[in-house]
DNA sequence: ACGGGTAAGCC
DNA sequence: GGCTTACC
């Protein structure tokens, strides 16, 4: 074969080959293949140290690892000028940074400046060769890779953009129009023979691997088990094959061989457990040639792409924007229950020695099946998304599935800098040249600058309310006013009077410096004007779904695009830019409110980027849109129309019913996932009653039914007509137990009880507990008894939950309940 | 390991 | 009033 097609998945550095290696997926035969760099690319850093000084500045051992020293020209955006720097190439990446002794540190110690030395080598390689992970390439037998150049003319709907944004746009459209490949996949889960008191530790793999379950996309299910006596069937009722081994080494050998046959391998916590355990156990038992490449906190496969779903589901952006916050904890059990509606059936004990082989096999298979289903959720939605995130960020799929949104954005920006031969500035340099002080006062103690405006709601029931909002407000501001670390407080004297926010001393460049504002503008516009539309209008169902994933992945980047500039660990951290963005947002809100009032419209609430307007006509809404657009240059749009909205006196707390009868609940206690199901059900019933209300007249009748519903639940509470499960609170343990030192919140108290019983308790786990009478006040769900329940406490929970809406409906919880109080409750308590 | 603002329950 | 969690 002279020429083959390959989809670039990732780049890694091979210590054995001393070079970058590209990992491709061949969609024609479903295989993975590796291509070693053939361009002689070397790791490097940039410095202002003179070239001939290096031999003497560096210690002899490091000087020996120099490969080449040259001079290069770069554009320095912070000072708006060309610079000439020394490019120091090394024979291996660790010589640049990372290891205990490296060139970055030695040069810095001698007083020289160093740039671009903290970039991981595989990322550096991707930038310099202009590679786009996730995209299709032609690879010839000499190892040359090329991507067919597709010049896309800028579509007419983008004619309003600046040239810089247009250029970015036309480079991006081909990446988004190309669907991702389908890949065969397998999910793997292992169980180790461990005793109750000790969790198996992958750094000390002293216990044997007892079972490995694998489930693949062709419907194959198999479990490799270590025979330990007793009858073991050849098949489970589910149809899964059981393969028995007398020898653990053979078991691991065939498991590794099986894993090597798949281009895509899912695990749940495989980076830190399954893969290292298998690999280290293999080494211990003399099993050779394993495909697992162990790194500090990840495990890669040379034969495929390993996606650790635990890492992916722990990613906040994925949790919030992709799964709409539908899961709370990050354990396999929690996520599977929330997304698939399938929980795990736990074994009675963690002591696997006492569990029969067959039972262990079933348990192991269950985990592999859940992992498989999660990995393939939405008919491959997750993988499509990873491909897109990879193409936008120019980050390997393996990286993108393990890192957070700030890394994705960093990588996206660095790539654009290298593409233009711009010098990537260091964080301390940005601070020094452009300032780091903020001038606005945050409302929350300990925060660095002021954020958004939240209007005081007008409590009560309001009919006919239009909700208007600025779509992607912060990205729009970045694009409209060109705010970024590059443009803020620029070096030009004649830009100093360009201060869009009077109360802040910061000015913005008006000479077109920078890339980031154009990049963000391009992403925003391509999402709104191209892919959101195609996700609605495309005829072909597959392509429609693809376009929807495109617009969702763009949204993830846009939503975080402002936040990263206020995040102190972001390499392009810029507090002045961040505070200017929020200040402009406040200005936009205030101006819009002013415009609305001038038109005689009543604004009853608003939060950050939205305005609730009561009693407006369609024409008035349109007039307001136009007025704001012409004064500000950003779009205020009608988002939805509420038949009515119930505002409480609290901010970020309301309930609205749209004209199509869709109910929106924001911030109310009844919506929070940590409250007991019992209360949540009562709340949902009340919502259902309110949803049906169409006119003010119907409200009176609805209120009676609401009162009735609440009364019935209170009665059930008194009479003990509930299950313990329904009363359980679910609170996430966000840190490990030993780090709670200052106070002991209730869920931590419960977690400690669980731990003392020998149960495993880790960060990310959801603790389920009920409130009971007695000194502790709480108990783990599985330990409590119905007779211990503190009913008074639960009545209080119901009170606070319902008061949030009852107040605005002119109703009173006590009055509703009082009818019962004199009869039973009083005797009860 | 995106930001700030708001609210609730408990210590 | 601080800590912790969940939400906008």
């Amino acid at each position: 074969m002279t020429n083959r097609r390959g989809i670039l998945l990732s780049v890694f550095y091979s210590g054995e080959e001393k070079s970058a290696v590209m990992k491709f997926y061949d969609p024609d035969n479903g295989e993975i293949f590796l291509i070693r760099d053939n361009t002689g690319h070397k790791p490097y850093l940039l410095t202002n140290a003179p070239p001939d000084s290096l031999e003497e500045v560096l210690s002899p051992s490091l000087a020996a690892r120099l490969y080449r020293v040259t001079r290069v020209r770069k554009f320095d955006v912070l000072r708006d000028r060309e610079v000439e720097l020394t490019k120091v190439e090394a024979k291996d990446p660790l010589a640049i940074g990372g290891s205990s002794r490296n060139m970055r540190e030695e040069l810095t110690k001698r007083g020289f400046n160093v740039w671009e030395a903290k970039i991981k080598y595989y990322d550096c390689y991707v930038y310099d060769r202009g590679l786009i992970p996730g995209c299709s390439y032609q690879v010839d037998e000499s190892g040359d890779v090329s991507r067919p150049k597709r010049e896309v003319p800028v579509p007419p709907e983008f004619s309003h953009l600046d040239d810089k944004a247009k250029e970015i746009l036309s480079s991006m459209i081909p990446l988004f129009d190309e669907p991702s490949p389908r890949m065969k996949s397998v999910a793997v889960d292992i169980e180790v023979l461990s005793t109750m008191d000790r969790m198996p530790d992958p750094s000390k793999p002293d216990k044997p691997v007892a079972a490995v379950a694998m489930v693949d996309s062709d419907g194959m299910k198999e479990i490799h088990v270590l025979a330990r006596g007793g009858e073991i069937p050849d098949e489970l009722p589910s149809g899964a094959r059981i393969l028995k081994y007398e020898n653990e080494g053979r078991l691991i050998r065939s498991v590794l061989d099986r894993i090597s046959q798949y281009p895509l391998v899912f695990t749940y916590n495989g980076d830190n457990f399954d893969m290292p355990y298998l690999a280290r156990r293999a080494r211990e038992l003399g099993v050779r040639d394993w495909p697992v490449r162990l790194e500090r906190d990840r495990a890669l496969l040379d034969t495929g792409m390993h996606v650790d779903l635990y890492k992916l589901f722990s990613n906040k952006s994925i949790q919030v924007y992709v799964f709409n916050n539908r899961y709370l904890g990050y354990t396999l059990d929690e996520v599977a229950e929330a997304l698939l509606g399938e929980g795990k059936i736990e074994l009675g004990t963690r002591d696997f020695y006492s569990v029969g082989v067959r039972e262990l096999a079933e348990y192991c298979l269950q985990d592999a099946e859940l992992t498989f289903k999660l990995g393939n959720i939405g008919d491959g939605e997750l993988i499509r998304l990873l491909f897109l995130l990879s193409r936008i960020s120019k980050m390997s799929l393996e990286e993108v599935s393990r890192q957070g949104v700030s890394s994705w954005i960093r990588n996206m920006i660095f790539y654009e800098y290298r593409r233009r031969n711009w010098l990537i500035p260091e964080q301390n340099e940005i601070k020094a040249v452009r300032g780091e002080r903020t001038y606005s006062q945050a409302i929350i103690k300990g925060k660095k600058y002021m954020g958004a405006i939240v209007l005081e709601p007008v409590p009560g029931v309001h009919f006919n309310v239009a909700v208007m909002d600025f779509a992607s407000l912060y990205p729009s501001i970045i694009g409209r006013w060109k705010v970024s670390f590059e443009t803020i407080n620029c070096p030009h004297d004649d830009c100093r009077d360009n201060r869009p926010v009077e109360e802040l001393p910061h000015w913005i460049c008006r000479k077109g410096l920078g890339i980031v504002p154009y990049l963000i503008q391009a992403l925003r516009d391509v999402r709104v004007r191209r892919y959101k539309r195609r996700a609605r209008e495309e005829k072909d169902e597959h392509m429609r779904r693809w376009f929807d994933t495109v617009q969702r992945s763009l949204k993830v980047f846009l939503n975080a695009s402002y936040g990263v500039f206020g995040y102190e660990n972001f390499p392009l951290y810029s507090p002045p830019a961040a505070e200017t963005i929020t200040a402009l947002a406040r200005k936009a809100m205030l101006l819009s409110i002013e415009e609305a009032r001038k038109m005689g419209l009543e604004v009853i609430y608003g939060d950050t980027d939205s305005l609730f307007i009561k009693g407006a006509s369609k024409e008035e809404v349109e007039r307001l849109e136009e007025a704001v657009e012409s004064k500000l240059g950003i779009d205020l749009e009608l988002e939805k129309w509420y038949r009515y909205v119930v505002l409480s006196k609290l901010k970020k707390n309301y309930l609205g019913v749209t004209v199509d009868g869709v109910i929106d609940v924001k911030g109310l206690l009844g919506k929070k996932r940590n409250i007991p199901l019992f209360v949540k059900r009562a709340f949902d019933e009340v919502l259902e009653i309110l949803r049906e209300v169409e006119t003010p007249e119907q409200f009176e009748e609805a209120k009676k039914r609401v009162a009735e519903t609440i009364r019935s639940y209170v009665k059930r509470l008194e009479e003990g007509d509930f299950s313990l499960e329904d009363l359980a609170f679910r609170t996430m343990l966000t840190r490990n137990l030993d780090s709670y030192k200052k106070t002991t919140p209730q869920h931590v108290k419960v977690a400690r009880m669980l731990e003392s019983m020998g149960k495993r308790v880790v960060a990310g786990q959801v603790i389920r507990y009920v409130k009971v009478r007695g000194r502790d006040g709480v108990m783990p769900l599985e330990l409590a008894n119905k007779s211990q329940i503190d009913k008074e406490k639960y009545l209080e929970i119901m009170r606070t939950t319902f008061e949030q809406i009852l107040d605005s409906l002119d109703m009173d919880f006590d009055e509703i309940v009082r009818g019962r109080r004199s009869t039973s409750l009083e005797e009860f308590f």
Side-chain angles (χ1 to χ4, degrees):
Chain A
M1 199 177 359
T2 53
N3 233 329
R4 73 198 290 196
R5 215 147 59 94
I7 290 156
L8 180 64
L9 300 178
S10 59
V11 173
F12 61 93
Y13 179 74
S14 162
E16 307 93 73
E17 309 228 39
K18 288 198 177 306
S19 79
V21 177
M22 292 169 275
K23 189 189 286 184
F24 287 94
Y25 171 67
D26 181 338
D28 300 317
N29 66 9
E31 282 173 10
I32 297 289
F33 62 96
L34 304 178
I35 298 291
R36 193 189 147 176
D37 169 64
N38 66 356
T39 67
H41 189 275
K42 295 286 170 202
Y44 62 89
L45 57 74
L46 300 169
T47 176
N48 58 355
D52 50 16
S53 72
L54 282 161
E55 292 277 357
E56 157 228 339
V57 168
L58 295 175
S59 57
S61 63
L62 270 180
R65 288 154 82 186
L66 282 172
Y67 175 76
R68 180 167 54 192
V69 179
T70 49
R71 289 292 271 177
V72 290
R73 293 189 70 80
K74 290 265 172 183
F75 175 66
D76 173 0
V77 72
L78 293 181
R79 298 172 187 84
D80 190 11
R81 65 175 188 215
E82 294 277 327
V83 284
E84 201 176 271
L85 294 169
T86 305
K87 178 177 178 180
V88 182
E89 290 173 271
K91 291 174 183 164
D92 65 297
L94 290 179
I96 299 292
S99 58
S100 53
R101 251 197 156 168
N102 61 60
M103 298 183 187
R104 166 164 46 92
E105 275 171 33
E106 290 197 356
L107 285 166
T108 312
K109 222 170 271 165
R110 293 288 295 266
F112 296 109
N113 293 338
V114 174
W115 291 268
E116 307 190 12
K118 288 181 199 153
I119 298 168
K120 295 216 173 72
Y121 179 59
Y122 45 80
D123 290 329
C124 178
Y125 186 81
V126 168
Y127 309 153
D128 285 343
R129 296 212 54 197
L131 299 172
I132 299 160
C135 277
S136 186
Y137 282 84
Q138 290 291 332
V139 184
D140 76 16
E141 56 194 3
S142 68
D144 285 341
V145 303
S146 62
R147 197 174 142 65
K149 264 266 181 286
R150 263 164 281 185
E151 277 302 322
V152 191
V154 177
E157 63 266 36
F158 301 107
S159 53
H160 64 289
L161 287 176
D162 305 275
D163 286 347
K164 277 195 189 179
K166 277 185 187 152
E167 193 273 327
I168 294 170
L169 191 92
S170 61
S171 74
M172 289 208 163
I173 285 178
L175 318 186
F176 301 148
D177 283 355
E178 176 186 326
S180 64
R182 281 211 165 251
M183 290 166 87
K184 220 171 133 155
S185 66
V186 68
V188 181
D189 182 65
I190 77 169
E191 299 299 338
V192 170
L193 268 190
S194 63
T195 45
M196 182 141 72
D197 53 329
R198 278 193 41 215
M199 275 310 295
D201 175 359
S203 63
K204 284 197 291 303
D206 51 359
K207 297 280 193 282
V209 173
V212 179
M214 305 178 92
V215 173
D216 85 2
S217 43
D218 294 329
M220 182 282 296
K221 294 176 188 181
E222 63 187 28
I223 311 139
H224 303 252
V225 299
L226 202 56
R228 286 177 290 141
E231 268 301 296
I232 312 169
D234 292 329
E235 218 179 271
L236 289 175
S238 60
R241 274 214 304 157
I242 299 188
L243 296 102
K244 287 158 263 189
Y245 301 83
E246 298 295 329
N247 174 304
E248 190 198 351
R250 292 224 179 83
L251 184 154
I252 290 178
R253 171 77 274 152
S254 49
V255 163
L256 292 176
D257 287 344
R258 291 291 276 141
I259 290 176
S260 308
Q261 291 164 7
Y262 294 89
L264 177 56
V265 178
F266 292 114
T267 62
Y268 210 89
N269 202 25
D271 271 347
N272 290 311
F273 184 67
D274 304 59
M275 292 300 181
Y277 206 96
L278 272 180
R280 296 209 175 101
R281 205 63 199 162
R283 184 167 53 198
E284 210 139 288
L285 298 167
V287 177
R288 287 169 200 286
D289 298 326
W290 13 284
V292 185
R293 196 174 277 270
L294 289 187
E295 295 181 1
R296 196 166 46 84
D297 50 5
R298 62 179 197 173
L300 303 184
L301 291 168
D302 280 348
T303 49
M305 177 165 75
H306 169 215
V307 175
D308 181 343
L309 292 178
Y310 171 70
K311 287 215 173 117
L312 191 61
F313 284 110
S314 310
N315 182 313
K316 266 279 174 245
S317 295
I318 299 284
Q319 182 183 11
V320 174
Y321 297 114
V322 181
F323 293 104
N324 297 316
N325 235 335
R326 290 213 306 281
Y327 56 93
L328 180 59
Y330 304 127
T331 60
L332 176 59
D333 189 28
E334 281 281 336
V335 176
E337 178 71 56
L339 298 184
L340 308 169
E342 295 179 47
K344 262 173 70 168
I345 298 150
E346 281 296 338
L347 290 172
T349 169
R350 296 283 322 168
D351 183 358
F352 288 171
Y353 279 106
S354 68
V355 177
V357 174
R358 184 211 154 118
E359 205 188 338
L360 188 66
E362 286 191 357
Y363 180 76
C364 187
L365 176 66
Q366 171 182 250
D367 279 6
E369 282 185 307
L370 292 177
T371 304
F372 181 81
K373 286 181 185 167
L374 287 176
N376 289 283
I377 201 164
D379 192 27
E381 168 83 13
L382 212 48
I383 293 304
R384 286 200 293 280
L385 189 84
L386 287 181
F387 270 91
L388 278 162
L389 296 176
S390 202
R391 291 178 194 174
I392 302 170
S393 66
K394 316 305 194 268
M395 203 176 214
S396 295
L397 274 110
E398 280 146 338
E399 281 288 284
V400 104
S401 69
R402 287 169 172 82
Q403 307 237 353
V405 68
S406 67
S407 302
W408 304 344
I409 292 177
R410 176 202 66 209
N411 222 65
M412 170 176 78
I413 297 173
F414 283 9
Y415 184 91
E416 294 299 323
Y417 265 63
R418 279 278 174 90
R419 190 152 81 87
R420 291 168 175 73
N421 200 33
W422 286 22
L423 179 67
I424 297 168
E426 293 288 301
Q427 201 198 48
N428 53 17
E429 205 186 3
I430 299 175
K431 288 179 188 164
V433 179
R434 301 302 186 85
E436 65 173 315
R437 244 206 86 178
T438 50
Y439 295 82
S440 55
Q441 187 63 51
I443 291 169
I444 305 171
K445 209 170 95 182
K447 300 287 184 186
K448 300 174 289 251
Y449 56 90
M450 191 185 280
I453 292 182
V454 186
L455 299 182
E456 207 60 60
V458 179
V461 180
H462 306 273
F463 276 81
N464 188 26
V465 173
V467 179
M468 309 204 49
D469 78 347
F470 292 102
S472 310
L473 177 61
Y474 291 162
S476 302
I477 286 173
I478 292 171
R480 159 70 178 79
W481 279 278
K482 304 284 182 281
V483 196
S484 78
F485 70 93
E486 305 150 309
T487 61
I488 202 89
N489 304 328
C490 65
H492 318 116
D493 281 337
D494 38 340
C495 295
R496 283 180 175 260
D497 61 340
N498 186 24
R499 289 174 36 217
V501 184
E502 307 81 65
E503 63 270 28
L504 295 178
H506 309 305
W507 67 92
I508 297 174
C509 183
R510 47 160 93 86
K511 295 182 189 293
L513 209 54
I515 300 170
V516 169
Y518 302 94
L519 180 60
I520 290 172
Q521 192 176 30
L523 293 176
R524 193 202 92 102
D525 283 32
V526 84
R527 170 170 183 260
V528 176
R529 293 175 192 237
R530 188 179 176 93
Y531 295 104
K532 273 187 99 171
R533 181 177 301 169
R534 295 198 168 188
R536 280 195 311 268
E537 295 171 3
E538 170 66 40
K539 296 279 185 297
D540 179 77
E541 197 205 319
H542 274 94
M543 285 312 283
R544 194 168 63 237
R545 262 218 312 253
W546 169 256
F547 290 138
D548 189 53
T549 312
V550 171
Q551 71 89 7
R552 282 152 60 99
S553 56
L554 287 168
K555 186 177 175 185
V556 174
F557 280 78
L558 291 168
N559 277 330
S561 63
Y562 135 77
V564 293
F565 294 113
Y567 171 46
E568 58 269 32
N569 292 327
F570 190 63
L572 306 170
Y573 177 50
S574 175
E579 84 168 335
T580 302
I581 294 165
T582 58
L584 283 165
R586 294 193 298 274
K587 251 181 97 161
M589 276 284 274
L590 292 173
L591 181 131
S592 309
I593 294 166
E594 198 43 47
E595 284 300 309
R597 295 216 168 118
K598 272 198 259 171
M599 289 171 55
L601 297 173
E602 190 189 355
V603 178
I604 56 170
Y605 180 58
D607 181 354
T608 312
D609 55 2
S610 66
L611 291 179
F612 287 48
I613 293 170
K614 184 174 178 174
S617 68
K618 244 185 149 159
E619 292 70 37
E620 287 173 310
V621 163
E622 275 166 25
R623 265 174 48 217
L624 181 59
E625 286 176 355
E626 280 158 27
V628 170
E629 231 271 61
S630 76
K631 292 221 161 147
L632 287 177
I634 53 176
D635 296 339
L636 180 70
E637 302 167 340
L638 175 68
E639 207 216 334
K640 57 188 147 197
W641 215 294
Y642 283 128
R643 189 187 288 162
Y644 71 91
V645 53
V646 183
L647 296 183
S648 84
K649 55 180 182 286
L650 302 174
K651 295 173 173 181
K652 298 181 190 281
N653 257 273
Y654 66 87
L655 176 165
V657 181
T658 68
V659 284
D660 336 296
V662 178
I663 196 152
D664 278 344
V665 181
K666 300 288 175 189
L668 298 179
L669 274 171
K671 190 188 170 170
K672 305 214 187 225
R673 289 161 306 175
N674 55 350
I675 67 159
L677 208 55
F678 184 83
V679 183
K680 205 169 171 54
R681 282 210 197 99
F683 189 79
D684 286 344
E685 275 189 38
V686 167
L687 288 189
E688 197 42 47
I689 295 168
L690 294 175
R691 197 171 69 81
E692 285 159 15
V693 174
E694 292 190 18
T695 62
E697 296 71 44
Q698 289 169 359
F699 240 107
E700 291 316 304
E701 176 59 27
K703 280 159 93 168
K704 278 184 210 148
R705 290 174 58 206
V706 167
E708 208 42 62
T709 304
I710 293 174
R711 253 197 300 278
S712 80
Y713 272 87
V714 170
K715 181 158 172 260
R716 282 179 57 187
L717 182 63
E718 299 163 7
E719 290 174 353
D721 180 13
F722 51 77
S723 72
L724 265 185
E725 292 258 334
D726 290 347
L727 294 193
F729 286 82
R730 305 164 67 247
T731 307
M732 164 117 106
L733 196 66
T734 57
R735 315 196 298 259
N736 278 321
L737 273 184
D738 49 13
S739 73
Y740 292 89
K741 295 225 164 71
K742 288 172 180 155
T743 56
T744 307
Q746 289 191 319
H747 67 293
V748 176
K749 193 187 286 181
V750 173
R752 293 215 167 107
M753 292 182 199
L754 288 168
E755 197 180 46
S756 69
M757 290 160 51
K759 299 238 177 199
R760 191 160 68 113
V761 179
V762 290
Q765 195 175 323
V766 171
I767 306 297
R768 302 202 295 168
Y769 62 94
V770 290
K771 307 229 178 193
V772 293
R773 283 174 279 116
R775 196 163 35 84
D776 285 334
V778 283
M779 248 189 178
L781 172 64
E782 49 268 63
L783 247 62
N785 184 300
K786 263 172 88 166
S787 65
Q788 299 163 297
I789 290 297
D790 186 345
K791 292 182 180 174
E792 194 103 46
K793 262 269 152 20
Y794 281 92
L795 189 69
E796 279 312 307
I797 306 284
M798 291 192 58
R799 181 203 310 283
T800 46
T801 304
F802 283 108
E803 264 173 359
Q804 290 187 340
I805 42 181
L806 293 179
D807 266 3
S808 318
L809 299 178
D810 255 330
M811 295 168 77
D812 183 74
F813 186 82
D814 287 326
E815 255 171 55
I816 291 172
V817 175
R818 202 169 296 140
R820 306 214 50 78
R821 266 240 148 144
S822 52
T823 58
S824 52
L825 270 180
E826 218 129 79
E827 298 156 31
F828 223 93
F829 301 129

